[in-house]
């Protein structure tokens, strides 16, 4: 008798500016079955000071929450858990302090994702949980940022993230919980100014359904239901009526709306002001609410990566096309890099496949900077990879790609390497060495097959083995490799050629 295999369970954690959320799901056939949800109000954004540093109290609140989440995740394999941090940890100058302390509490990497990537994942979560087909406008007002996405099916067409959230606007316009008509008007106007640069683009693109997600819009919907709007649909007129009701109170703690929780009261007025601005700027007629959001997007993408082409591969291909990369040369370098890297023993405790994948994309995109100018193109490539919008990549992955292409050639000024959170510098050194060798070995840019090459790595000392008498017919390559040996030596590395 064959025992039924236990369904695979996966988990996603969203480290938001206001709340931390965790959702756990079981994969049943072709669908996800949510089996538990956990939410903790952390108020991370309220801990940001004037210098964009998180105070110790906010850091500790976040760590306490992660410690609780970790209890639920005992026994989960790393590939079955994904943790994404959003606006506040994007902004925090001392985010690395939080991440370092979190390592000892929860044994899974925390990804700090760009605002546009947050928007894409939010849309994915909504798209998977909404029954309607057709083009959707999705709006998500968080504690520190607001994401606005237009998409169709599971693909996004427009994605923007704006620096306006219910926590940050509460601090700016409603200090000490004071509410006034003047502060409501100022908050709404500030949000409209933020939206001014994109509003016409969104209206021109158009949509069939407007959908809101996450806590702010959920709270507004609940309050409207409590006011007698049983369908829970949000309209401009209802938002105006709700604003008038809010202005009957002078202090946020006094808000006594049905279905409004005490912990939502301090940021409620700011959330209403932002959503009112979104409605007026984009000329939205009505909006429904979706339970799907960032964490559901993380869950569905985790599972989709086993069935569909990786969004990051599509992003890399699109970027290569945009910057007119010589794909024949890029693939020569990529194939050589992967051939060399596969001969290296993996570092203990690291998933070699993920590093190998990043190396492959780095090799594919190592010449994107040539479209700007040849001198210093490796630096131009690094800048483009670090600061471009790259769907599917978190900030750490973009930093890794930028670092690889920055050090693909010329002198190794390793002191210029950026700080990393998920990986350590020593994890990147083998990738840098491998890419440099792949670039040097393909310096002739021809389809002539390379000689048989073997590489053996012992920390900083590498041995490159080539066929006997290869130098006789490869004088230029030999000169390039001697130059490469000099670069390595100045960095304290050793490249031996046999």
């Amino acid at each position: 008798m064959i025992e039924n295999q236990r369904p695979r369970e996966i988990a996603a954690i969203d480290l938001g500016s206001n709340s931390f959320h965790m959702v756990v799901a079981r994969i049943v056939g072709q669908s996800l079955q949510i089996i538990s949800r956990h939410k903790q109000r952390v108020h991370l954004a309220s801990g940001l000071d004037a210098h964009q540093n998180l105070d110790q109290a906010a850091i500790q609140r976040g760590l306490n929450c992660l410690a609780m989440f970790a209890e639920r995740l005992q026994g989960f394999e790393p590939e079955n858990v994904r943790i994404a941090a959003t606006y506040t940890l994007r902004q925090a100058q001392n985010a690395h302090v939080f991440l370092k302390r979190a390592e000892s509490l929860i044994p899974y990497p925390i990804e700090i994702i760009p605002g546009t990537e947050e928007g894409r994942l939010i849309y994915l979560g909504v798209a998977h949980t909404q029954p309607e087909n057709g083009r959707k406008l999705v709006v998500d007002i968080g504690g520190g940022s607001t994401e606005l996405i237009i998409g169709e099916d599971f693909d996004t067409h427009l994605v923007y993230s704006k620096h306006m959230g219910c926590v940050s606007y509460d601090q700016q316009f409603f200090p000490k919980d004071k509410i006034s008509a003047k502060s409501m008007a100022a908050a709404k106007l500030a949000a409209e100014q933020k939206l001014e640069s994109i509003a016409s683009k969104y209206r021109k693109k158009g949509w069939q359904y407007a959908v809101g997600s996450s806590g702010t819009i959920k709270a507004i919907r609940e309050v409207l239901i409590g006011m007698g709007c049983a369908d829970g649909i949000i309209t401009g007129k209802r938002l105006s009526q709700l604003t008038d009701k809010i202005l009957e109170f002078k202090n946020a703690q006094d808000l006594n709306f049905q279905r409004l929780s005490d912990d939502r009261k301090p940021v409620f007025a700011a959330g209403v002001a932002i959503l009112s601005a979104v409605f007026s700027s984009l000329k939205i007629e009505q909006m429904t609410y979706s339970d799907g959001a960032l964490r559901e997007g993380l869950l569905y993408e985790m599972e989709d990566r086993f069935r569909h082409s990786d969004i990051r591969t599509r992003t890399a291909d699109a970027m290569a096309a945009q910057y007119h990369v010589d794909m024949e040369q890029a693939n020569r370098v990529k194939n050589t890099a992967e051939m060399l890297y596969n001969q290296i023993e993996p570092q203990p405790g690291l998933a070699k496949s993920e590093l190998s994948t990043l190396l492959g994309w780095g090799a594919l995109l190592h010449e994107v900077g040539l479209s700007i100018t040849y001198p210093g193109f490796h630096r131009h490539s690094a800048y483009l990879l670090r600061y471009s919008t790259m769907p599917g990549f978190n900030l750490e992955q973009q930093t890794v790609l930028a670092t690889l292409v920055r050090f693909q050639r010329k002198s190794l000024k390793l002191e210029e390497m950026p700080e990393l959170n998920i990986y350590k510098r020593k994890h990147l050194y083998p990738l840098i060495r491998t890419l440099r060798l792949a670039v040097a070995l393909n310096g002739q840019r021809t389809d002539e097959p390379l000689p048989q090459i073997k590489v053996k790595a012992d920390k900083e000392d590498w041995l490159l083995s080539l066929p006997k008498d290869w130098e006789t017919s490869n004088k230029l390559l030999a000169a390039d490799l001697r130059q490469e040996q000099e670069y390595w030596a100045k960095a304290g590395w050793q490249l031996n050629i046999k």
Side-chain angles (χ1 to χ4, degrees), residues 252-265:
Q253 298 300 331
D254 298 331
L255 294 172
N256 66 351
F257 295 113
Q258 289 183 42
R259 305 168 75 102
L260 180 65
S261 62
D262 287 341
D263 58 5
R264 178 59 64 173
K265 285 181 181 180

Side-chain angles (χ1 to χ4, degrees), residues 229-300:
C229 307
D231 57 13
I233 293 174
I234 303 170
T235 66
K237 182 179 179 181
R238 289 175 176 180
L239 281 174
S240 181
Q241 291 170 344
L242 177 55
T243 300
D244 291 341
K245 289 284 186 185
I246 290 172
L247 293 177
E248 293 176 8
F249 302 89
K250 301 301 180 186
N251 191 285
Q253 298 300 331
D254 298 331
L255 294 172
N256 66 351
F257 295 113
Q258 289 183 42
R259 305 168 75 102
L260 180 65
S261 62
D262 287 341
D263 58 5
R264 178 59 64 173
K265 285 181 181 180
V267 297
F268 187 66
V272 171
I274 293 171
L275 188 59
S276 298
V278 171
F279 262 72
S280 60
S281 296
L282 303 190
K283 302 193 185 311
I284 299 171
E285 294 179 3
Q286 65 176 42
M287 175 180 286
T288 57
Y289 171 74
S290 167
D291 278 324
L294 173 60
R295 49 233 172 240
E296 286 76 21
L298 289 166
L299 283 179
Y300 279 101

Side-chain angles (χ1 to χ4, degrees), residues 187-382:
K188 184 184 176 189
L189 179 61
E192 288 173 338
Q193 287 176 311
K194 292 272 189 186
L195 295 165
E196 189 176 14
S197 62
I198 64 169
S200 62
K201 190 181 296 185
Y202 274 72
R203 293 195 300 265
K204 184 176 181 181
K205 192 74 177 175
W207 58 85
Q208 292 167 267
Y209 307 98
V211 184
S213 65
S214 294
T216 295
I217 293 175
K218 181 180 181 181
I220 291 170
R221 173 182 178 269
E222 292 298 310
V223 169
L224 289 176
I225 292 172
M227 288 170 56
C229 307
D231 57 13
I233 293 174
I234 303 170
T235 66
K237 182 179 179 181
R238 289 175 176 180
L239 281 174
S240 181
Q241 291 170 344
L242 177 55
T243 300
D244 291 341
K245 289 284 186 185
I246 290 172
L247 293 177
E248 293 176 8
F249 302 89
K250 301 301 180 186
N251 191 285
Q253 298 300 331
D254 298 331
L255 294 172
N256 66 351
F257 295 113
Q258 289 183 42
R259 305 168 75 102
L260 180 65
S261 62
D262 287 341
D263 58 5
R264 178 59 64 173
K265 285 181 181 180
V267 297
F268 187 66
V272 171
I274 293 171
L275 188 59
S276 298
V278 171
F279 262 72
S280 60
S281 296
L282 303 190
K283 302 193 185 311
I284 299 171
E285 294 179 3
Q286 65 176 42
M287 175 180 286
T288 57
Y289 171 74
S290 167
D291 278 324
L294 173 60
R295 49 233 172 240
E296 286 76 21
L298 289 166
L299 283 179
Y300 279 101
E301 182 158 88
M302 258 195 287
E303 177 59 12
D304 281 349
R305 281 183 182 172
F306 291 91
R307 299 183 187 152
H308 306 298
S309 63
D310 193 323
I311 179 69
R312 293 177 294 182
T313 301
R314 298 202 299 272
T315 294
D317 289 343
M319 197 167 188
Q322 179 183 355
Y323 291 104
H324 309 293
V325 168
D326 178 347
M327 290 307 295
E328 289 185 1
Q329 174 67 2
N331 279 307
R332 280 192 289 266
V333 172
K334 179 175 182 285
N335 293 337
T336 302
E338 290 174 345
M339 177 270 293
L340 294 173
Y341 193 68
N342 285 335
Q343 298 180 45
I344 299 171
E345 288 296 317
Q347 298 178 62
L350 276 182
K352 187 175 180 182
S353 59
E354 175 67 9
L355 289 171
S356 179
T357 304
L358 289 171
L359 174 62
W361 284 317
L364 193 72
L365 299 171
H366 76 284
E367 289 188 339
V368 291
L370 272 177
S371 61
I372 298 174
T373 181
Y374 177 77
F377 78 82
H378 52 296
R379 290 182 178 272
H380 302 317
S381 295

Side-chain angles (χ1 to χ4, degrees), residues 3 11 48 151 162 247 305 326 331 372 397 451 463 466-467 492:
E3 291 185 11
L48 276 178
K162 291 293 182 180
L247 293 177
R305 281 183 182 172
D326 178 347
N331 279 307
I372 298 174
Q397 290 164 340
L463 174 63
L466 293 150

Side-chain angles (χ1 to χ4, degrees), residues 30 72 74 94 118 130 148 344 375 390 450 467 473 494:
Q30 299 296 309
R72 174 66 179 84
Q74 287 183 13
N94 61 340
E118 182 181 353
Q130 284 293 108
L148 305 103
I344 299 171
M390 297 182 68
L450 290 171
S473 53
Q494 189 168 341

Side-chain angles (χ1 to χ4, degrees), residues 56-234:
Q56 290 306 308
I59 289 174
Q60 194 58 52
R61 290 195 299 272
L63 295 174
N64 291 344
C65 179
L66 285 180
M68 285 191 291
F69 286 177
E71 291 178 11
R72 174 66 179 84
L73 296 177
Q74 287 183 13
F76 276 65
E77 294 297 325
E79 63 269 19
N80 291 334
V81 178
R82 195 164 174 205
I83 308 175
T86 57
Y87 179 81
T88 297
L89 285 170
R90 281 199 295 270
Q91 297 297 111
Q93 295 296 312
N94 61 340
H96 61 283
V97 174
F98 177 85
L99 297 175
K100 192 69 180 172
R101 291 176 63 184
E103 281 180 12
S104 62
L105 297 174
I106 193 160
Y108 308 103
I110 297 173
E111 310 172 46
I112 299 178
I113 58 175
T116 49
E117 176 65 0
E118 182 181 353
R120 185 186 70 82
L121 288 165
I122 288 167
Y123 177 81
L124 196 60
V126 171
H128 272 289
T129 52
Q130 284 293 108
E132 298 92 347
N133 294 318
R135 188 173 296 178
K136 299 178 184 67
L137 165 69
V138 175
V139 178
D140 188 300
I141 300 171
S145 64
T146 295
E147 281 67 48
L148 305 103
I149 314 100
I150 291 179
E152 201 160 352
D153 297 327
F154 300 113
D155 296 317
T156 56
H157 300 319
L158 279 177
V159 185
Y160 278 90
S161 178
K162 291 293 182 180
H163 292 189
M164 54 185 192
C166 61
V167 175
S168 56
Y169 268 42
D170 173 62
Q171 293 173 326
Q172 185 176 352
F173 297 102
F174 305 93
K176 298 180 180 178
D177 290 338
K178 291 181 180 178
I179 297 172
S180 68
K182 184 178 179 181
S183 59
M184 282 293 288
K188 184 184 176 189
L189 179 61
E192 288 173 338
Q193 287 176 311
K194 292 272 189 186
L195 295 165
E196 189 176 14
S197 62
I198 64 169
S200 62
K201 190 181 296 185
Y202 274 72
R203 293 195 300 265
K204 184 176 181 181
K205 192 74 177 175
W207 58 85
Q208 292 167 267
Y209 307 98
V211 184
S213 65
S214 294
T216 295
I217 293 175
K218 181 180 181 181
I220 291 170
R221 173 182 178 269
E222 292 298 310
V223 169
L224 289 176
I225 292 172
M227 288 170 56
C229 307
D231 57 13
I233 293 174
I234 303 170

